[in-house]
Each structure stands twice: as structure tokens, then as C-alpha cells.
């Protein structure tokens, strides 16, 4: 971050020192402008510090300073102006640089005459010594060459990004096709069979088992989730299929499985990014699924704390987990951790000292955008 600034200062101070030494060592006509000439030598050189931020302004300042110290009787090469030409051309200001250089080539002989020279030929020779045309061309060519190289590098980077994006799109479509071919049929069969069984049981006047109703609802939800996932993969749609507003549905579904669940939402509801909403939904979904399958719990509580800078989620159950229990991280827990980490958040999933299991996550919410 600081290296370019240090390099700019080093160049500016080095050029200033070289020009001041040259000015002090030369034989000049006796004039009353010695102090002004030294000030212009130093000022024109130190202006190079700002050549990245304001190349055209630095070009003008170094040019005026070069004309000024030539008029004050200092026959010193316009080295700072050459650095400014290089910086301006590199920044893409070719027209302004050419115009300024033409003016400099015309004005420097006049400055030499103003310094006390009475011979026009000698004045032109001094101006040519201060700013050779070959130096100007070389400085401009170097700046243009580097500008073209940087432009080609930027184009190559954009091409790499476009290629990577295209490959990602192709891979996403391939995954969508695989999911559709491998899962859609099986989920549809489960869903249809469950609905037929529920329908037959009701026609016979029999009580429908809760497990069968749960299978029916799970089949419907799986179909919706799969459809939303396939649409997101095909369209690269970042809009979340599920979010905070759908968390109560998860708790209602858990109740149908015999798990007594409660939901507490505290704090003011702020605008939450889609990725954060989706992650909250997935954390609650995976946690309740794990509780129903593995915890042997009868109750579970979900607490969502809405803060200006973060969303905090906590899911507790009264299962049989103890601090001595070492949970084996499954795919669901690993997926939760990856989602939270990708958003810059933190996740804890561990048994509680009083018994049961807890999942705590904190997801940052950027309110500056």
C-alpha cells in the first residue's frame, strides 16, 4: 500500500538533489534570481510526488519551473519535465503531453534569451541542451509502451475472468442436469406413493399415521427445494428460495414429527442480504433435522437476534448429548460451517454442560451498502 508513495518520494527527492547539485556546480551569469532559481529547481522536482494522481498538473508545474529556472540563468536539463512526460503518457494524456512539449520547445529559447544571452544561436543551443527532442521522444515512448503493456495485461485478466465464468456456468448446468436426472424421479415416486397412501387411508376412514403425513410433507418440501435449486443453478439467480420468513414453517414441520419447538425473534428486523437469509434458513433446517434424527430430544428452541451489524442464531435441544460426547461432524454440520465461514461469520456446535446440544452462529450484516 505504501510502496508506490515511498518510490515516488524517492524519485522526486533524487531528481531534486541531482538538479540542485548541477545548479550549484555550474558557472552562471551573475543575476539577482539565484534563490528563485534554486527554489524552482526543487519545486519542479518535488512536484513529481503527485505524478500518479495528477499527471497533467504535474506536467504543467514541471514545465513552468523548467522555463523559470532557465530564465533565472540556470542552464540545467529539464529532467523533472521528462519524468512528467513519461507519467502523463502512461496515464493516457497523449494530446496534452504533445501540446505541452511543443510549447516547451518554443518557450525555452525565449527563457534563455531572458537569462541574459544576447546571441540567438547560443540561446537555441542552451534550450536544446536543456530539453533534447530525442529525450522527449524517449520519455513519451517509454510511457506509451508501459501503458500498452498494462492495457494488454488488463485485457488478458478480463479474458481469464470471462473464461472462468463461462466454465462455471457450464459446470453449474451440468450439475443441474445430474441433479434432475438422479433425484427428481425418486423424490416424485416417494411423494406420489405417500399421497396415495394418505388418500387411501382417509377413504377407508382410517387414522393416517403421523409418520406417513410427515413423509408426504417432506416429499412436497423436497420437490420444492429441488425445483428452486435447479432454477438457481440454471439461471444463476441469487434470490433466496427460502429465508427468515420461512423459518416458522420449519418449526411447524418439526412439530409434526413430535418435536416441541419454540421460536424467538428479538431486535428490529433490518434489511438482510439474500445470502445471509438463506444461510439462516439452512442452519435452522439442518439443526432441526439433526435433532429429530439423532438427539432423542423432546423440545427444541430457536432464537434469532437481529442486530444492526449481525444476525445471531441459537438452536438448543434437550437431547442426550453431554460434554463428554464427541460429536462426529457430518456433511450437514460441515456444510453449515462452510456457509457461515464464507460469509465471514462464526459457528459453534457442541454439547452443553447442562445437557443437550447447541448450535450458535453469528453472521455479519453489512449495513453500509
Amino acid at each position: 500500500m505504501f510502496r508506490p508513495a515511498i518510490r515516488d518520494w524517492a524519485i522526486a527527492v533524487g531528481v531534486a538533489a541531482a538538479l540542485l547539485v548541477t545548479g550549484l556546480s555550474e558557472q552562471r551569469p551573475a543575476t539577482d534570481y539565484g534563490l528563485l532559481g534554486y527554489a524552482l529547481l526543487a519545486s519542479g522536482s518535488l512536484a513529481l510526488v503527485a505524478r500518479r494522481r495528477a499527471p497533467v498538473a504535474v506536467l504543467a508545474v514541471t514545465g513552468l519551473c523548467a522555463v523559470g529556472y532557465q530564465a533565472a540563468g540556470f542552464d540545467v536539463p529539464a529532467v523533472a519535465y521528462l519524468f512528467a512526460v513519461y507519467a502523463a503518457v502512461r496515464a493516457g494524456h497523449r494530446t496534452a503531453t504533445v501540446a505541452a512539449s511543443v510549447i516547451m520547445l518554443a518557450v525555452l529559447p525565449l527563457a534563455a534569451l531572458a537569462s541574459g544571452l544576447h546571441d540567438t544561436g547560443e540561446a537555441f543551443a542552451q534550450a536544446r541542451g536543456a530539453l533534447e527532442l530525442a529525450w522527449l521522444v524517449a520519455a513519451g515512448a517509454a510511457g506509451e509502451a508501459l501503458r500498452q503493456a498494462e492495457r494488454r495485461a488488463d485485457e488478458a485478466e478480463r479474458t481469464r475472468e470471462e473464461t472462468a465464468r463461462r466454465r462455471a456456468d457450464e459446470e453449474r448446468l451440468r450439475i443441474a442436469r445430474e441433479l434432475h436426472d438422479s433425484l427428481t424421479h425418486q423424490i416424485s415416486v416417494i411423494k406420489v406413493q405417500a399421497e396415495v397412501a394418505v388418500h387411501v387411508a382417509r377413504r377407508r376412514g382410517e387414522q393416517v399415521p403421523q409418520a406417513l403425513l410427515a413423509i408426504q410433507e417432506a416429499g412436497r418440501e423436497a420437490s420444492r427445494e429441488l425445483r428452486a435449486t435447479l432454477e438457481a443453478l440454471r439461471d444463476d439467480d441469487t434470490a433466496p428460495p427460502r429465508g427468515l420468513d420461512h423459518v416458522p414453517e420449519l418449526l411447524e414441520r418439526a412439530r409434526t414429527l413430535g418435536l416441541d419447538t419454540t421460536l424467538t425473534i428479538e431486535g428490529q428486523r433490518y434489511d438482510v442480504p439474500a445470502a445471509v437469509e438463506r444461510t439462516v434458513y439452512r442452519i435452522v433446517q439442518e439443526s432441526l433435522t439433526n435433532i429429530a434424527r439423532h438427539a432423542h430430544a423432546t423440545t427444541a428452541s430457536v432464537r434469532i437476534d437481529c442486530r444492526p451489524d449481525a444476525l445471531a442464531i441459537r438452536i438448543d435441544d434437550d437431547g442426550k448429548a453431554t460434554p463428554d460426547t464427541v460429536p462426529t461432524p457430518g456433511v450437514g454440520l460441515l456444510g453449515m460451517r462452510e456457509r457461515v465461514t464464507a460469509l465471514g461469520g462464526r459457528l459453534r456446535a457442541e454439547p452443553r454442560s447442562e445437557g443437550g446440544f447447541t448450535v450458535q452462529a453469528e453472521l455479519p450484516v453489512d449495513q453500509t451498502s
Side-chain angles (χ1 to χ4, degrees):
M1 175 180 179
F2 298 105
R3 287 180 181 176
I6 294 174
R7 187 163 56 247
D8 290 344
W9 273 105
I11 290 173
V13 171
V15 172
L19 295 186
L20 286 172
V21 169
T22 303
L24 287 169
S25 63
E26 70 171 5
Q27 296 293 326
R28 308 185 284 104
T31 65
D32 297 330
Y33 300 105
L35 187 59
L36 175 61
Y38 291 125
L40 291 173
L41 283 171
S43 300
S45 302
L46 295 178
L48 293 175
V49 173
R51 73 184 191 278
R52 297 177 191 270
R53 299 188 298 274
V56 175
V58 171
L59 185 73
V61 170
T62 54
L64 290 173
C65 287
V67 171
Y69 65 67
Q70 288 287 327
F74 286 76
D75 185 14
V76 178
V79 177
Y81 181 76
L82 293 175
F83 275 93
V85 166
Y86 164 80
V89 173
R90 180 180 175 181
H93 303 289
R94 289 174 292 185
T95 302
T97 304
V98 171
S101 298
V102 170
I103 294 172
M104 281 286 292
L105 291 172
V107 172
L108 279 177
L110 300 178
L113 287 172
S115 68
L117 294 177
H118 301 292
D119 184 81
T120 305
E122 188 178 353
F124 272 95
Q126 179 174 316
R128 188 167 58 252
L131 187 63
E132 285 277 2
L133 183 61
W135 297 350
L136 269 177
V137 173
E144 179 65 16
L146 189 56
R147 189 181 75 86
Q148 293 293 340
E150 291 173 343
R151 184 177 62 83
R152 287 193 295 270
D154 291 340
E155 289 178 355
E157 182 64 25
R158 283 196 299 271
T159 301
R160 284 194 294 269
E161 291 176 356
E162 291 172 359
T163 301
R165 192 179 301 112
R166 185 174 64 253
R167 288 177 178 173
D169 291 341
E170 293 172 353
E171 179 66 12
R172 194 169 57 249
L173 290 175
R174 187 190 68 79
I175 294 173
R177 287 194 297 269
E178 292 292 334
L179 284 174
H180 181 273
D181 295 341
S182 61
L183 295 180
T184 302
H185 176 69
Q186 287 84 347
I187 291 176
S188 298
V189 169
I190 294 172
K191 176 173 170 286
V192 170
Q193 292 290 342
E195 289 177 349
V196 169
V198 171
H199 177 71
V200 170
R202 286 174 175 167
R203 285 195 60 181
R204 291 177 177 174
E206 300 173 355
Q207 183 178 1
V208 181
Q210 287 296 321
L212 190 57
L213 292 174
I215 293 173
Q216 180 188 36
E217 180 58 29
R220 291 174 179 171
E221 180 62 20
S223 296
R224 288 193 293 267
E225 291 280 352
L226 182 59
R227 188 180 305 110
T229 301
L230 293 176
E231 290 175 356
L233 286 171
R234 291 190 178 111
D235 301 333
D236 194 22
D237 185 9
T238 56
R242 296 292 179 188
L244 286 173
D245 294 334
H246 302 93
V247 169
E249 297 178 9
L250 293 174
L251 275 73
E252 187 61 35
R253 195 175 309 133
R255 293 188 190 103
T256 63
L257 300 176
L259 184 65
D260 185 15
T261 57
T262 58
L263 173 63
T264 304
I265 299 179
E266 293 194 352
Q268 180 181 350
R269 176 79 174 271
Y270 297 89
D271 291 334
V272 179
V276 174
E277 285 217 26
R278 184 164 55 247
T279 300
V280 171
Y281 179 87
R282 293 303 183 193
I283 290 174
V284 176
Q285 182 185 45
E286 183 63 30
S287 298
L288 293 179
T289 299
N290 288 339
I291 293 171
R293 289 177 178 175
H294 311 298
H296 304 289
T298 58
T299 64
S301 63
V302 178
R303 179 190 177 91
I304 300 175
D305 188 8
C306 301
R307 305 170 188 166
D309 59 343
L311 268 181
I313 309 101
R314 176 167 180 157
I315 301 100
D316 295 314
D317 66 64
D318 63 348
K320 296 182 179 180
T322 62
D324 299 330
T325 306
V326 180
T328 302
V331 175
L333 183 57
L334 292 175
M336 275 196 288
R337 194 174 299 280
E338 289 173 357
R339 286 176 181 271
V340 172
T341 303
L343 294 175
R346 299 190 300 271
L347 177 73
R348 288 179 54 200
E350 58 190 11
R352 298 197 312 276
S353 58
E354 63 270 25
F357 202 82
T358 183
V359 174
Q360 299 179 57
E362 185 172 309
L363 302 170
V365 177
D366 184 7
Q367 293 294 334
T368 62
S369 59

